[in-house]
Amino acid sequence: MQPTDRRLANAIRALAMDAVEAANSGHPGMPMGMADAATALFTRHLKFDASDPHWPDRDRFILSAGHGSMLIYALLYLTGYDRPTIDDIRRFRQLGSPTAGHPENFELAGVEVTTGPLGQGVAMAVGMAIAERHLNAVYGDDLVDHRTFVIAGDGDLMEGINHEAVGLAGHLQLGRLIVLWDDNNITIDGSTELSRNEDVIARHEAAQWHTCECNGLDSHAVDRAIKEALADPRPSLIRCQTIIGFGAPTKQGTAATHGAALGNEEVEAARGELGLEPTEFTVPDDVLTAWRAAGKRGSVEHALWKERLESSGRKDEFLHRLNGKVSDAWLKPYVDKLLDDLKPVATRKASEMALETINAAIPSTIGGSADLTGSNNTKTRNIEPLTPQSYAGRYIYYGIREFGMAATMNGMALHGGVIPYGGTFLVFTDYARPAIRLSALQNARVIYVMTHDSIGLGEDGPTHQPIEHLQSLRAMPQLEVYRPADAVETAECWALALQSEGPSILALTRQNVQPVRTAKSDENRCARGAYRLKSAGNARKVILLATGSEVEIALAAAEQLEGEGVGADVVSMPCTERFDAQPWDYREDILPDVSNREILRVSIEAGTTIGWERYTGLHGLRIGIDRFGVSAPAPDAYKFFGLTPDAIVGRVLEQMKQREIA
Ligand SMILES: Cc1ncc(C[n+]2csc(CCOP(=O)(O)OP(=O)(O)O)c2C)c(N)n1
Ligand SMILES: [Mg+2]
């Protein structure tokens, strides 16, 4: 006899309670409250095959309420994924176990995205739904025809990013996105009445979503609600009314179940209440069998899909696209052509020029901007907008939603088959930063086109002029920050970003810069992160290290120094992370490890100097800006901050004198 849904759901409850108890850490309330809804979703609707978590046409499931990680771990175990095993679940939240505190996409197949920072899961789901519709438009129903389901908590819907994500999803009419809201009226501080009186349903409806409500503790009611959502062409919000910690006799319905072990006594009482096995981490045989059958539900559809793939004339192209590898064959011919006709150009414009070629050569790119298309130069002439009428388009008008854009791009990148890039001003990486951090943590290939990268943007002044941004982004692990100096370097950095497995930031100028790379080269010189652009003519006394728009200033300063008989190398350093990864002998060649009395090392970057001592040495000369900017035309701002060849040469000579460098 098939066990009841309630018994299936209770297996989730049991594992959640036991794992949190064993770790004495974690969040039992959410999985216990949503166990019935998750049972309805996983046993009747979600299209998946536990034996192949990477099946490209699977439905995507995102647990936006990542603190309830035991919900997804229980589901993956019960439905028969290879991992987590029951031992992994016993080792919930322990060092080396894939059952990390919050679900991590790099730990377990079946965990599509990393969640935990509330709100971002829903926004990433929007990106997944966009990627699905786009690939469907390109490859058709036979190969791409799936949905994106989300479980979200009160917190996910309260976060600011939710407004951005909901607005974008409604606008793009992403009807295959279905969010199940765990409406339990509880957050950490207690009742949601403490902090919320908005009408969540009305807000979604105002954003052109379909909504419905159900008793989230009744799997059949949830089932009906999901059916209704599936039938509606709009994105759907299903309000599942639940009780947090359902089944814990004295604690259910209270914040006490949110984020702490229930305690032995309460767990034992819950076992009685729910009719669970007496021993921990135990699932009754008939229940496990039923769950395992649910994990195989999709196998027939999966087999049919494979047949369609085999008989598709586009099989190779489709698989190539999904594996994500891109060639940089476009780069050399493009750069050679650039070199034939050198002229000053802003690197944001150089980025657009490179993108014309890239977008033609690589069909998986999808561009966009947070309402700064004309400033970020992100839309090339050869791509059309992605709209509800035409999901095949490759350009997204994200609106003024920087955080939403970044999280959406994470979802797109992790869906696979597309390479998202999107722009805003570099200073507004602050608005997108939590999602940039998740790009890095998740190793998602998202390319951030961040223009107006310094005081060089001029008149808009201190609110718009990045100062600490470059260095603070460089401080983020697994993120590559590129600041190219001219059109050639911009193209090279684009090639590196496209070939990277993780995220990149391209910091680009608003103002024109002189070409600094004028000779043909067989290699991508930016690949080493820093390289000697000009060697000292006289005996080398100085190394000028510069990035982006300051490289041409460094070259001019070096020329003056040479005129004074002082030999000066100029090193262009478009990507510090890549330079740091070079072998010792290369780094030693570029930046010899000698005292600043022998060779003075000087960094020049129109931003904070904090951190540059890493390359100049503690007593090297760091030229930059350690205060907020000024509202003025760019040349005046550069002069004001001493970022001119004359001012730099003056400071270098003075330092040399002080240090008695002859
Ligand atoms: C951006 C962010 N802020 C704060 C937290 C800490 N936090 C984790 S869960 C939670 C409460 C969430 O409430 P709800 O979504 O209703 O979850 P429930 O208590 O119902 O399980 C908070 C504040 C977080 N994970 N992410
Ligand atoms: Mg809640």
Side-chain angles (χ1 to χ4, degrees):
M1 207 176 71
Q2 170 75 13
T4 60
D5 278 3
R6 179 47 67 78
R7 287 188 65 223
L8 298 187
N10 283 347
I12 298 171
R13 296 192 167 96
L15 292 173
M17 280 195 303
D18 290 344
V20 174
E21 213 58 29
N24 194 21
S25 163
H27 303 76
M30 189 266 151
M32 295 176 77
M34 281 299 276
D36 303 289
T39 300
L41 177 62
F42 272 69
T43 64
R44 290 203 272 286
H45 296 287
L46 193 76
K47 178 170 80 170
F48 71 109
D49 180 350
S51 70
D52 181 6
H54 301 292
W55 172 21
D57 202 31
R58 68 191 181 280
D59 286 348
R60 304 303 198 264
F61 170 69
I62 292 174
L63 182 65
S64 192
H67 58 282
S69 56
M70 264 314 301
L71 179 72
I72 190 162
Y73 299 151
L75 287 163
L76 296 179
Y77 163 68
L78 290 167
T79 54
Y81 284 76
D82 278 350
R83 304 286 289 268
T85 62
I86 194 73
D87 286 335
D88 293 332
I89 289 181
R90 284 177 186 275
R91 300 197 61 244
F92 178 51
R93 295 192 151 215
Q94 304 309 303
L95 188 66
S97 172
T99 52
H102 291 83
E104 306 284 7
N105 72 314
F106 49 87
E107 292 287 2
L108 289 169
V111 173
E112 306 282 359
V113 300
T114 289
T115 51
L118 293 171
Q120 291 202 56
V122 177
M124 288 190 280
V126 171
M128 295 224 158
I130 292 172
E132 190 274 342
R133 278 298 84 187
H134 177 74
L135 292 170
N136 170 272
V138 175
Y139 290 101
D141 289 347
D142 275 357
L143 297 184
V144 184
D145 183 14
H146 54 268
R147 299 176 190 275
T148 306
F149 289 94
V150 181
I151 288 183
D154 299 302
D156 289 302
L157 303 192
M158 262 189 227
E159 289 288 351
I161 189 176
N162 184 255
H163 296 246
E164 302 183 21
V166 166
L168 189 61
H171 174 73
L172 290 175
Q173 297 173 27
L174 300 172
R176 287 164 166 262
L177 174 65
I178 297 179
V179 177
L180 289 93
W181 165 29
D182 177 18
D183 175 25
N184 60 16
N185 281 308
I186 290 287
T187 66
I188 292 177
D189 277 355
S191 164
T192 48
E193 280 170 25
L194 293 169
S195 57
R196 183 184 70 198
N197 68 357
E198 86 185 27
D199 183 338
V200 175
I201 291 286
R203 175 164 71 82
H204 281 75
E205 284 176 357
Q208 314 302 325
W209 282 52
H210 157 259
T211 66
C212 57
E213 310 190 13
C214 64
N215 175 359
L217 297 169
D218 174 352
S219 64
H220 299 284
V222 175
D223 185 35
R224 284 191 295 276
I226 293 175
K227 282 189 184 129
E228 184 184 320
L230 289 170
D232 196 283
R234 295 165 292 177
S236 288
L237 177 74
I238 301 177
R239 173 187 201 168
C240 304
Q241 279 156 340
T242 67
I243 296 172
I244 191 168
F246 180 77
T250 72
K251 293 189 174 176
Q252 68 176 22
T254 73
T257 66
H258 165 91
L262 297 175
N264 197 31
E265 218 170 289
E266 184 81 358
V267 170
E268 288 314 314
R271 285 196 212 288
E273 178 100 1
L274 296 169
L276 304 178
E277 297 292 291
T279 37
E280 55 196 16
F281 299 106
T282 310
V283 179
D285 286 345
D286 63 326
V287 170
L288 190 58
T289 304
W291 269 117
R292 291 286 149 94
K296 295 192 178 84
R297 249 186 337 109
S299 59
V300 174
E301 244 183 295
H302 187 186
L304 291 172
W305 179 86
K306 276 187 183 157
E307 277 175 23
R308 292 197 299 274
L309 178 67
E310 287 308 322
S311 59
S312 163
R314 299 174 76 184
K315 178 186 165 191
D316 292 344
E317 174 202 337
F318 181 72
L319 293 179
H320 174 71
R321 180 134 175 193
L322 286 182
N323 91 15
K325 292 210 168 60
V326 295
S327 155
D328 65 357
W330 60 272
L331 180 64
K332 188 162 165 41
Y334 170 80
V335 167
D336 286 352
K337 222 170 103 197
L338 263 186
L339 290 172
D340 290 339
D341 183 24
L342 286 176
K343 46 181 175 254
V345 61
T347 54
R348 62 176 171 143
K349 180 67 188 168
S351 167
E352 181 188 338
M353 287 154 51
L355 272 170
E356 289 278 354
T357 299
I358 291 164
N359 285 339
I362 303 172
S364 44
T365 54
I366 296 190
S369 166
D371 202 45
L372 287 168
T373 295
S375 301
N376 303 143
N377 298 60
T378 34
K379 184 168 177 322
T380 54
R381 282 163 302 176
N382 50 5
I383 56 174
E384 297 298 321
L386 186 155
T387 64
Q389 292 72 41
S390 173
Y391 290 118
R394 289 169 60 192
Y395 193 80
I396 300 178
Y397 290 104
Y398 286 102
I400 306 96
R401 301 182 177 107
E402 294 83 7
F403 189 8
M405 171 177 75
T408 298
M409 291 198 292
N410 282 338
M412 291 164 69
L414 293 170
H415 178 281
V418 296
I419 304 174
Y421 72 84
T424 183
F425 292 151
L426 181 64
V427 80
F428 299 135
T429 50
D430 286 343
Y431 273 54
R433 194 175 176 100
I436 297 174
R437 189 165 193 272
L438 279 196
S439 308
L441 177 61
Q442 300 182 98
N443 215 26
R445 180 174 35 175
V446 171
I447 302 173
Y448 294 95
V449 181
M450 299 307 195
T451 67
H452 298 58
D453 71 346
S454 76
I455 53 149
L457 67 87
E459 292 85 345
D460 273 342
T463 56
H464 282 52
Q465 293 168 344
I467 295 292
E468 72 282 19
H469 299 76
L470 286 165
Q471 287 295 42
S472 74
L473 290 163
R474 287 176 184 136
M476 199 182 283
Q478 293 180 196
L479 171 69
E480 284 178 351
V481 180
Y482 293 97
R483 190 164 187 254
D486 69 359
V488 173
E489 279 200 3
T490 301
E492 289 181 342
C493 291
W494 256 111
L496 296 170
L498 284 163
Q499 296 212 302
S500 169
E501 285 179 8
S504 304
I505 292 203
L506 300 174
L508 305 170
T509 68
R510 170 182 186 245
Q511 75 278 21
N512 280 356
V513 291
Q514 293 294 332
V516 298
R517 280 278 295 286
T518 49
K520 290 201 177 178
S521 152
D522 281 334
E523 46 163 356
N524 181 336
R525 297 193 76 187
C526 290
R528 286 181 179 270
Y531 62 94
R532 191 175 294 117
L533 184 62
K534 171 207 169 288
S535 298
N538 294 293
R540 181 172 65 180
K541 300 290 178 203
V542 174
I543 299 174
L544 301 174
L545 273 163
T547 75
S549 41
E550 284 70 75
V551 173
E552 68 175 77
I553 300 174
L555 282 173
E559 204 176 298
Q560 286 191 27
L561 287 168
E562 298 281 356
E564 309 262 342
V566 175
D569 279 1
V570 174
V571 172
S572 176
M573 197 172 217
C575 180
T576 59
E577 295 89 346
R578 279 185 170 267
F579 179 69
D580 293 345
Q582 295 307 308
W584 173 84
D585 55 342
Y586 182 79
R587 284 182 285 128
E588 168 69 16
D589 175 47
I590 300 296
L591 287 181
D593 189 14
V594 295
S595 86
N596 276 304
R597 287 182 194 282
E598 294 162 74
I599 296 176
L600 180 66
R601 284 174 285 172
V602 183
S603 67
I604 310 169
E605 182 171 77
T608 188
T609 64
I610 291 175
W612 275 104
E613 57 282 7
R614 188 179 172 97
Y615 304 106
T616 64
L618 205 50
H619 303 294
L621 181 57
R622 294 173 287 142
I623 297 177
I625 306 173
D626 291 306
R627 47 156 284 182
F628 290 118
V630 289
S631 172
D636 296 344
Y638 266 82
K639 212 164 167 188
F640 179 80
F641 285 114
L643 287 165
T644 61
D646 286 347
I648 290 167
V649 168
R651 287 184 67 183
V652 169
L653 292 177
E654 185 205 298
Q655 287 286 316
M656 288 179 65
K657 206 160 126 201
Q658 271 185 26
R659 283 174 207 187
E660 295 165 353
I661 307 176

